[in-house]
Amino acid sequence: MRRVFGIIFIIAILISGTGLNAQSKWGIDECLGYALENNLRIASQSISNASNREQLAQTRRDFLPYVNAQSSYGVNFGKSVDPNTNTVTYNNFVSNNYSLSGGISLFEGFVRNNRIAWSKFTYLTGIEEQKALEIEIAFNVMEAYYNTLYYEGLLEIVREQKRLSAINLEKVIKESDIGISAKTDILEIEAHMAEEELREVRTENSLKASLIQLKKAMNYPLNEELRLSGIEDQEPVVSSIYEKADTVYAMALRYLPQVKAKELELKATEKSLAIARGSVYPSLSLSGGYYTGYYETNTDPQGDIIRYNEQIKNNASRSLGLTLSVPLFNKWSNRSDIKISKLELEKKRVDLTDYKNQLYYEIESYCQELSATEAEYRQAFKQEESNRLAYEVAEKKREQGLFNIIDFYTSKNQLSGAQSEMLRTRIQYLLKKKSIGFYMGEPLLGKTVTNKEQ
């Protein structure tokens, strides 16, 4: 029983270790999740969104009246004006004043309403810009991720070719010792191995560079290890009927944050024009106040200072008024603001149309490239199978002395090239397919990425 429990314990440890090792590898979703959580540009945009939200709240509060309270206490020395009699006095005295004033704007040419709408569209634009920024970062991470996967797979192919060359070199050396192969075959293989070693070094350098780019896109510490899931862990290339560009474009107009952001910018600019137009209208406001005070110079007929409470009551005054302001001439600044706002609105419309046109061309290109890449992968897969069989035949013929080293390495290089092409087309297929998914409104991480500020 102890032996049985010991075996079970060891198996559990091995399974647990395997699970930990598997969890240490990062897939595309893990890389995207880390990038979106730790990107400083997203953090900065989130702060801007919070600021825009507060600005929107304040523009709504601008409909409320203002109320101000004021109090003052002063001691006058030497020559001064008696606030009680408005005459010059040389006596020292104390004064204490209180006031309460308030007002509310009744009409401003609908400027406040349009300012609320402008603030709302600006805030919503920031929300969509953050989502667009998330997609932009996702594109950068995806490109770097799949580029790294490509060089990892390419490095495996190069090392496998180098391993096969080492095996063949060992065989040829033995054959040369017994006189079956020529010495020149050894030199030929060594020359090819030197070339393969150089290719391995270059591929390793490209892999390191692509991994740095991935860490940069993720804002991942450069001094920490980042292991990725292999190409075998990625989704397979499957034959399917792909969406047409018109369908993807229609969904992009509906779901793509970049489009929504530009449309909201256009609406905000329309409200900016309405605000500028409102500045040429008259404005009407209501205001009122309450004022009172205490003065040591305020005395009764007997010359005694009137009590504090009586002065506060007797000195009270109230005011209520309407103010009408009509802009007559402001050096044409209002008219100039309106003209500039109109031009800015026209520019936003042109920019939106141009963006939609460029978006359509981009989607058309992605759809065409996805279909072409899938077909190229199928062809590369068949070519790899054919070249592998050809290489196996060449290897057997070389062992029988029917193939020279040059022809043998020609077959070997063709197999390596087919493997590299199959890897490249599969990586391109995965990148294009996920990219089109973003255009169609698919979530970045299996669930929709939303802004916490909404």
Side-chain angles (χ1 to χ4, degrees), residues 221-448:
L222 288 176
N223 58 346
E224 292 187 12
E225 183 183 11
L226 179 62
R227 299 177 59 197
L228 305 182
S229 300
I231 186 65
E232 67 278 357
D233 297 324
Q234 308 302 315
E235 62 177 288
V237 179
V238 295
S239 298
S240 59
I241 300 176
Y242 301 110
E243 298 287 349
K244 294 182 179 180
D246 290 341
T247 303
V248 178
Y249 176 70
M251 298 186 71
L253 294 181
R254 183 177 179 183
Y255 295 110
L256 201 63
Q258 290 92 327
V259 177
K260 293 182 179 180
K262 290 188 175 297
E263 290 175 345
L264 288 168
E265 280 184 0
L266 179 61
K267 292 180 179 179
T269 307
E270 290 175 347
K271 293 304 175 182
S272 294
L273 175 58
I275 292 172
R277 284 174 172 166
S279 63
V280 301
Y281 287 91
S283 60
L284 181 65
S285 61
L286 174 66
S287 61
Y290 175 85
Y291 314 92
T292 188
Y294 166 81
Y295 314 100
E296 281 188 342
T297 58
N298 195 354
T299 59
D300 58 16
Q302 289 75 30
D304 298 326
I305 300 174
I306 299 176
R307 288 183 303 174
Y308 184 87
N309 291 340
E310 291 185 12
Q311 286 200 43
I312 293 296
K313 180 179 179 181
N314 296 333
N315 293 334
S317 64
R318 301 166 182 82
S319 67
L320 182 66
L322 284 172
T323 301
L324 177 65
S325 178
V326 180
L328 297 178
F329 180 72
N330 292 316
K331 295 178 288 187
W332 288 285
S333 62
N334 293 339
R335 298 295 178 183
S336 180
D337 290 341
I338 292 174
K339 185 179 294 186
I340 292 174
S341 297
K342 285 182 178 180
L343 293 174
E344 183 65 22
L345 177 60
E346 186 64 25
K347 181 179 180 298
K348 291 294 183 182
R349 287 172 177 166
V350 172
D351 291 345
L352 178 59
T353 302
D354 179 65
Y355 177 79
K356 288 182 178 180
N357 291 339
Q358 297 302 320
L359 177 63
Y360 182 82
Y361 295 139
E362 187 174 311
I363 290 176
E364 177 71 32
S365 175
Y366 268 78
C367 290
Q368 190 277 330
E369 289 174 1
L370 178 62
S371 178
T373 303
E374 191 268 342
E376 290 177 6
Y377 174 81
R378 299 296 176 191
Q379 186 61 33
F381 183 82
K382 294 178 182 179
Q383 186 177 359
E384 194 273 342
E385 287 184 334
S386 300
N387 288 339
R388 182 176 294 279
L389 292 175
Y391 170 75
E392 292 175 355
V393 172
E395 189 176 27
K396 291 179 181 179
K397 287 185 177 182
R398 195 207 62 77
E399 292 176 353
Q400 297 173 2
L402 301 177
F403 242 47
N404 58 41
I405 290 297
I406 295 177
D407 293 337
F408 171 75
Y409 264 94
T410 299
S411 177
K412 183 172 175 291
N413 291 336
Q414 288 176 347
L415 173 61
S416 175
Q419 291 173 335
S420 300
E421 183 63 16
M422 187 171 69
L423 174 65
R424 184 192 69 81
T425 52
R426 183 177 180 185
I427 291 294
Q428 288 295 316
Y429 169 86
L430 294 173
L431 180 60
K432 299 299 180 184
K433 185 177 181 182
K434 199 165 186 66
S435 299
I436 290 179
F438 288 165
Y439 285 120
M440 298 178 68
E442 292 181 3
L444 298 179
L445 300 173
K447 62 179 181 179
T448 303

Side-chain angles (χ1 to χ4, degrees), residues 31-193:
C31 291
L32 288 176
Y34 185 93
L36 296 178
E37 184 177 352
N38 294 275
N39 189 272
L40 298 180
R41 293 171 62 193
I42 292 180
S44 176
Q45 182 62 47
S46 179
I47 295 173
S48 297
N49 291 343
S51 176
N52 291 336
R53 183 177 62 178
E54 180 59 29
Q55 184 178 9
L56 172 59
Q58 184 55 47
T59 54
R60 288 170 174 165
R61 299 186 197 111
D62 287 342
F63 274 96
L64 299 174
Y66 71 88
V67 179
N68 295 320
Q70 186 176 353
S71 176
S72 65
Y73 180 88
V75 180
N76 293 72
F77 302 93
K79 183 179 178 180
S80 59
V81 176
D82 186 347
N84 185 41
T85 62
N86 288 326
T87 60
V88 176
T89 180
Y90 292 92
N91 298 324
N92 299 339
F93 66 91
V94 172
S95 63
N96 186 201
N97 296 285
Y98 300 93
S99 66
L100 182 66
S101 61
I104 185 171
S105 179
L106 301 178
F107 179 74
E108 292 181 353
F110 306 104
V111 169
R112 288 178 300 175
N113 302 70
N114 291 318
R115 190 173 287 120
I116 289 176
W118 177 86
S119 298
K120 180 180 179 181
F121 289 134
T122 300
Y123 169 65
L124 294 177
T125 298
I127 298 295
E128 296 302 326
E129 285 179 345
Q130 178 167 337
K131 295 178 183 178
L133 183 59
E134 290 172 350
I135 291 181
E136 178 187 342
I137 293 169
F139 270 105
N140 294 336
V141 171
M142 278 197 318
E143 184 176 359
Y145 177 85
Y146 287 121
N147 201 35
T148 303
L149 279 189
Y150 170 72
Y151 283 114
E152 283 186 348
L154 186 61
L155 184 59
E156 291 181 4
I157 294 173
V158 171
R159 286 175 174 171
E160 176 63 17
Q161 294 299 311
K162 181 182 173 183
R163 186 186 68 83
L164 293 176
S165 294
I167 293 175
N168 278 281
L169 177 60
E170 185 179 352
K171 290 181 181 180
V172 171
I173 291 175
K174 292 180 179 179
E175 292 173 355
S176 176
D177 291 339
I178 61 178
I180 297 178
S181 297
K183 296 289 186 180
T184 56
D185 290 347
I186 298 177
L187 298 176
E188 187 72 29
I189 295 177
E190 289 178 344
H192 282 286
M193 287 189 66

